[in-house]
Amino acid sequence: MSQLGGMRGAAALLGLFMGVACSSPKAEDPALASQEARVLTTSPAFLRTGFTQTVLSDGRVLLAGGTAQGAPSDFRTCELYTPGASTVWSTTGSLVSARHEHAATRLSDGRVLVSGGITPGGNGKSAELYDPTTGLWTATGALQVARARHTQTLLPNGKVLVVGGDNPDSTQGLASAELFDPATGTWTLAAAPTHPYSGHTATLLKQGDVLVLGNRIQHERYNPTTNAWSSVGNSNNVLASGHSATVLTKTVPGLVLVVGPRWVNDVAGQVASLYDPVTNTWSASGSVPVVRTGHAAVELSNGTVLVVGGMNPATGAPVTSAARFDIGTNGWTTMPALVRARRDFKVSLVGNAPDQVLINGGWTRDLSGATWTRQPSELYSTGCVPQTTCPAIGGQCGNPSDGCGGTLDCGTCSTGYICNSQFMCESTCQPNPATCLGLCGCVSNGCGEIMNCGSCADAGAACPSGQQRCCDGNCGTKAECLIMACASTSSQVYNPEPPCNGESM
């Protein structure tokens, strides 16, 4: 399979500028960047399906295993993608055993663990480790149970949890789990889940548990500390095979966004739900623009989630559509479509400022629906650089937009202030309407604001020549009275009177 050449896309950066008037501070609404890019980029030597795609500690991306057009049955070739390199794809060490429909996980020490899958020799128990410093694979301890299409999840203690999958011989879902210890290179059976799992997802929660979802409304969590499973609140709909589950890392509880198809009276619809691991409850997200399954989802640098591709569950046709979810609004925004329709592919976030997502492999079909082909690589960019600090957008409080579909957390105001619609802290104090009664000059109204109560007339015999009565009742020169009256300054408060200056006295 020849490489596709010369089509690397560079996403344009959009600078966001805003002006804030000194007399009336106000955060302008940042415009969303419109220079997105969706381009075919240089593809690896083999266009794959059934492979794994793993981001390494240094930012490179490892492709391992799978099947490819024109590849031998003993297909063990692995490739590396290096963002920003003049030649982005290169070969690396080959797998010890050819495999597809396997699982891969980057370990805490940077190595990559691959296990199971469908192999030419039928050894669905074998596992191996990739060392990115040497580019070589070595065999490690074998699984206790042969499995394919299973999940692997790195736990906080450094071990790896494998759940479910299919028996490679019978394709029946497995109700088993096991743990890999990188220190010993061995596998041990973990407590078994209540249900068999195939076509499921296993997601590491902020709390350290693993949420396992799939093909029913009853779900489970695994606690690695106790090696025990517990029931999860029932989802509102059956979470069918082909759904995605993405942790929203910027939310305090670590909400999980689940997107997938549902069927009502044989009519396909879309499910977009949020799971709260603290309250163990589900809630609906906003309406999803497109019904899909077999898609991919990735959290972007600003906490929004990009969902791309997949297939229409009613027709089986792959789709190009893309959408972005923002937890700040609990809503979806339609994004520019992919260059190629595809299903069952892999995505990785490979850069930010702006975010860039590497999309590889997967299937599409021709217009007749008779011929399926593997897809080339694509680089998808939002074309937008989100603001990361509240001062950069002129905000003091609340959750203002970051300019790229996400929101910032600017905190709350101190006692006596509220957050207004411009995300500025505004005093709740009510000024005394009689502030200027019997007074002159610049006088505090009791709310931290300075009011101009008019010029103070000379006091005649009451004050020496050249002096006047200051607001505190004492005599002083015009300059002395001004300094005394305007000792405190207004702070981001609208003052309807002229500002304090020498002329006001």
Side-chain angles (χ1 to χ4, degrees):
M1 185 71 66
S2 62
Q3 291 186 334
L4 296 176
M7 298 185 69
R8 290 193 300 272
L13 304 181
L14 180 66
L16 299 178
F17 299 91
M18 64 178 64
V20 179
C22 295
S23 59
S24 179
K26 178 181 179 181
E28 296 182 359
D29 293 330
L32 291 179
S34 59
Q35 300 179 16
E36 300 93 351
R38 294 87 55 208
V39 295
L40 293 178
T41 187
T42 304
S43 290
F46 294 94
L47 306 185
R48 307 174 186 234
T49 52
F51 64 105
T52 54
Q53 179 168 302
T54 309
V55 180
L56 304 179
S57 301
D58 59 8
R60 293 179 298 167
V61 181
L62 172 69
L63 303 190
T67 60
Q69 184 69 31
S73 58
D74 186 32
F75 178 53
R76 300 183 293 117
T77 302
C78 298
E79 299 179 72
L80 289 170
Y81 175 84
T82 305
S86 56
T87 302
V88 293
W89 289 103
S90 60
T91 57
T92 187
S94 296
L95 289 165
V96 175
S97 299
R99 66 186 75 227
H100 63 277
E101 305 298 346
H102 53 284
T105 305
R106 190 182 81 199
L107 303 177
S108 301
D109 61 9
R111 293 179 298 167
V112 177
L113 170 69
V114 162
S115 73
I118 299 172
T119 66
N123 184 10
K125 292 183 179 181
S126 68
E128 49 191 295
L129 291 165
Y130 175 77
D131 187 341
T133 60
T134 63
L136 299 177
W137 293 86
T138 56
T140 189
L143 289 161
Q144 296 289 321
V145 178
R147 61 186 82 223
R149 291 177 285 275
H150 51 290
T151 56
Q152 281 187 181
T153 309
L154 180 66
L155 301 176
N157 61 10
K159 295 183 178 181
V160 177
L161 174 71
V162 160
V163 177
D166 297 330
N167 181 312
D169 297 324
S170 67
T171 68
Q172 295 296 310
L174 298 170
S176 68
E178 43 192 302
L179 293 165
F180 177 77
D181 187 345
T184 62
T186 58
W187 295 86
T188 56
L189 287 176
T194 304
H195 308 287
Y197 287 99
S198 174
H200 60 289
T201 54
T203 308
L204 180 67
L205 303 175
K206 271 191 172 183
Q207 294 73 19
D209 291 359
V210 178
L211 174 69
V212 179
L213 309 171
N215 294 307
R216 57 182 62 87
I217 63 172
Q218 302 88 9
H219 312 289
E220 301 179 74
R221 284 169 67 161
Y222 175 78
N223 185 324
T225 303
T226 61
N227 186 33
W229 294 84
S230 59
S231 297
V232 168
N234 290 352
S235 54
N236 299 325
N237 301 277
V238 172
L239 301 180
S241 175
H243 69 270
S244 62
T246 310
V247 175
L248 307 182
T249 60
K250 295 186 181 298
T251 60
V252 173
L255 300 175
V256 181
L257 174 69
V258 179
V259 178
R262 67 173 178 178
W263 295 88
V264 178
N265 297 326
D266 293 329
V267 177
Q270 193 75 37
V271 173
S273 302
L274 290 167
Y275 172 72
D276 187 328
V278 174
T279 62
N280 194 29
T281 57
W282 294 84
S283 61
S285 80
S287 178
V288 187
V290 174
V291 179
R292 69 183 86 212
T293 185
H295 55 277
V298 60
E299 185 184 38
L300 302 179
S301 61
N302 66 349
T304 59
V305 177
L306 180 69
V307 175
V308 295
M311 73 171 185
N312 184 315
T315 65
V319 299
T320 60
S321 65
R324 183 179 60 201
F325 175 76
D326 176 16
I327 187 60
T329 61
N330 194 32
W332 292 84
T333 302
T334 298
M335 300 293 288
L338 299 177
V339 175
R340 297 287 184 91
R342 63 182 80 209
R343 54 168 288 189
D344 302 324
F345 53 98
K346 306 298 182 184
V347 299
S348 298
L349 185 64
V350 295
N352 52 37
D355 289 332
Q356 293 187 349
V357 178
L358 176 67
I359 302 171
N360 270 316
W363 293 102
T364 195
R365 68 183 187 185
D366 60 13
L367 294 178
S368 69
T371 303
W372 288 85
T373 55
R374 296 174 176 86
Q375 289 301 284
S377 299
E378 188 170 338
L379 199 60
Y380 188 104
S381 175
T382 61
C384 190
V385 181
Q387 297 290 347
T388 58
T389 64
C390 297
I393 60 171
Q396 295 178 326
C397 56
N399 299 106
S401 169
D402 66 1
C404 293
T407 55
L408 296 176
D409 183 1
C410 295
T412 58
C413 300
S414 58
T415 303
Y417 290 83
I418 60 172
C419 193
N420 65 21
S421 59
Q422 280 82 44
F423 304 102
M424 304 295 291
C425 290
E426 184 178 88
S427 174
T428 58
C429 180
Q430 296 298 317
N432 183 356
T435 294
C436 289
L437 188 62
L439 298 175
C440 61
C442 296
V443 181
S444 171
N445 67 356
C447 289
E449 304 172 30
I450 302 299
M451 299 293 292
N452 188 337
C453 294
S455 300
C456 294
D458 288 341
C463 288
S465 177
Q467 295 186 2
Q468 59 191 40
R469 187 72 59 186
C470 296
C471 297
D472 63 353
N474 297 316
C475 293
T477 64
K478 194 174 198 178
E480 289 171 338
C481 290
L482 176 62
I483 293 172
M484 182 182 301
C486 297
S488 62
T489 59
S490 61
S491 176
Q492 297 175 339
V493 175
Y494 174 65
N495 184 358
E497 298 292 337
C500 286
N501 54 45
E503 295 304 317
S504 68
M505 302 296 290

